[in-house]
Amino acid sequence: MTLPADLQRPAYGAASLADVLPGAAAALGAPVLRGDLPPDPLGLTDALHGARRVAVLLVDGLGADLIRAHADLAPTLAALSTPAGDLSAPCPSTTPVSLTTLTTGLPPGGHGVLGFVTEVPGEGRTLNHTQWADDPDPADWMAAPTVFQRAAADGIAVTAVGPWAYAGSGLTEAAYRGGNYTGSVGPGDLTALMRTALDAGPRALVYGYLAELDLTGHVRGVDSPSWRSQLQQVDALVAQLVDGLPDDAALLVTADHGMLDVPAHTRFDLDEEPDLADGVRLLTGEPRARYVHAEPGAEADVLDRWRGVLGDRAWVVGRDEAVASGIFGPVDDALVTRLGDVVALARGAWALVTPRLEPGPSRLAAYHGSLTATELAIPLLVARGRGLA
């Protein structure tokens, strides 16, 4: 299926976020089998030749377009090499989906974390993956093995460093399974913990997650002094990691998605269109990536109605069409009902807000989730220790 010209299909198995950790594991001598996907399409085995320790820092919201637009504020990031050019985030381009795609090495259709908020099929309730505790059981909801598990089984010391508050969450237990999760209490602590973890064994794989840039973008906008100041803080943190790299270590910097500001005139208020609620039993997803769950027998009518009302504000397709398009990668039959009967991905700078259902998210300044180039393009940057240069 052909997507609209302004939306792109993620490059799974060629140049996507799913290919980063498998490539890092391959560089450490522990290639990961991923079905039909190649073990190292990014060529990290060659790019990191000789590395015995690899650190991967994911900066939430650090889109490749944003780095290029603000290279003067991020000289360290701008100076790092790009072994494979831009990568693409998965679909939807949102944090829970991206983190699980990174750590499993699989497209979303293979691991099952298919949105920020999705339905729990057959139970008439939703799961917000950022507020997930232990229901559903993380081991059941996301059953795919992680790259961390496979690397650890090969004798590699695996550490995941992220916010202390996320320790033990459902998303942490699912996405970071197999890694020793170490909670950080701030960016400086994250840097120190990642450095320490690089010395945890003769071969080490260390992952770090930095959240503040994304939060600043959502609240203040990416075209704001606050966001630019936060980018400078990120650049300083990366400089500390680069300066402290052991001789046989490499640092990879990537992101989970880009981000764009959404002005008031491109916010489509779903609550103001009561016809869109006809035949709908549940609305999930987020403002730029909506899943619409129809009442039994109303699927076709709901699809036609949403297409007619939204027009060119969104790409609106049925579930089967969305799956056939390849935007989620191959979707396991057991996971497909987590998607809505109708999928609506925002085009341009539109956001499909619902202040009644989501008062907080509907007031944000910037969003992501869809498949525009700005949302999909993420960096892959590399720094090498002196022994690898």
Side-chain angles (χ1 to χ4, degrees):
M1 170 178 286
T2 302
L3 274 66
D6 57 330
L7 301 184
Q8 301 176 4
R9 184 180 293 103
Y12 305 121
S16 80
L17 185 61
D19 305 312
V20 173
L21 278 182
L28 291 170
V32 173
L33 296 179
R34 301 183 292 160
D36 294 334
L37 298 177
D40 184 20
L42 304 177
L44 294 182
T45 303
D46 292 333
L48 307 182
H49 180 68
R52 304 296 292 171
R53 312 163 201 276
V54 177
V56 179
L57 175 68
L58 186 140
V59 182
D60 199 326
L62 185 67
D65 287 352
L66 294 170
I67 295 177
R68 284 188 283 268
H70 301 286
D72 57 324
L73 300 178
T76 301
L77 290 168
L80 296 181
S81 62
T82 55
D86 290 353
L87 308 183
S88 59
C91 178
S93 54
T94 196
T95 301
V97 179
S98 288
L99 296 188
T100 315
T101 296
L102 172 76
T103 59
T104 61
L106 298 174
H111 60 66
V113 178
L114 285 158
F116 192 83
V117 178
T118 59
E119 182 180 28
V120 180
E123 298 188 16
R125 64 186 177 102
T126 62
L127 173 63
N128 182 323
H129 287 93
T130 67
Q131 299 174 4
W132 181 14
D134 56 5
D135 182 21
D137 185 331
D140 294 333
W141 186 256
M142 205 300 286
T146 69
V147 177
F148 293 158
Q149 287 175 296
R150 297 177 181 188
D154 200 73
I156 297 171
V158 180
T159 306
V161 184
W164 176 83
Y166 296 170
S169 75
L171 185 60
T172 295
E173 293 297 311
Y176 302 154
R177 190 180 303 139
N180 176 29
Y181 189 84
T182 305
S184 64
V185 295
D189 191 35
L190 175 80
T191 305
L193 291 171
M194 289 183 69
R195 285 176 170 175
T196 298
L198 282 171
D199 293 325
R203 289 187 300 161
L205 177 60
V206 179
Y207 162 80
Y209 169 76
L210 189 65
E212 287 80 3
L213 189 70
D214 177 75
L215 178 60
T216 304
H218 279 306
V219 175
R220 304 299 182 197
V222 294
D223 187 22
S224 69
S226 296
W227 188 91
R228 290 188 284 272
S229 179
Q230 191 63 53
L231 177 63
Q232 290 176 299
Q233 297 290 322
V234 171
D235 196 67
L237 183 148
V238 172
Q240 287 183 325
L241 287 173
V242 171
D243 290 345
L245 278 179
D247 288 349
D248 63 350
L251 170 68
L252 298 172
V253 180
T254 189
D256 51 349
H257 52 72
M259 183 176 281
L260 70 161
D261 289 340
V262 174
H265 67 275
T266 57
R267 293 168 185 264
F268 188 90
D269 190 338
L270 299 173
D271 298 339
E272 295 298 315
E273 296 287 341
D275 286 351
L276 292 180
D278 288 350
V280 174
R281 62 179 179 81
L282 194 65
L283 180 68
T284 59
E286 58 187 292
R288 284 187 58 81
R290 288 293 180 195
Y291 295 150
V292 188
H293 303 263
E295 298 285 356
E299 295 87 354
D301 289 341
V302 170
L303 175 59
D304 288 345
R305 194 174 300 115
W306 276 67
R307 275 179 172 163
V309 172
L310 292 180
D312 62 5
R313 300 178 182 92
W315 182 54
V316 183
V317 292
R319 176 196 289 150
D320 291 345
E321 295 173 273
V323 170
S325 75
I327 58 175
F328 306 109
V331 182
D332 190 288
D333 289 344
L335 306 175
V336 71
T337 53
R338 298 181 187 182
L339 300 170
D341 298 293
V342 174
V343 176
L345 298 179
R347 300 176 63 184
W350 285 96
L352 312 178
V353 299
T354 170
R356 177 187 56 79
L357 182 65
E358 301 169 349
S362 297
R363 294 195 299 266
L364 297 176
Y367 294 93
H368 50 80
S370 191
L371 296 176
T372 64
T374 294
E375 291 161 293
L376 274 195
I378 54 174
L380 180 64
L381 309 174
V382 62
R384 300 172 182 85
R386 294 181 183 88
L388 305 179

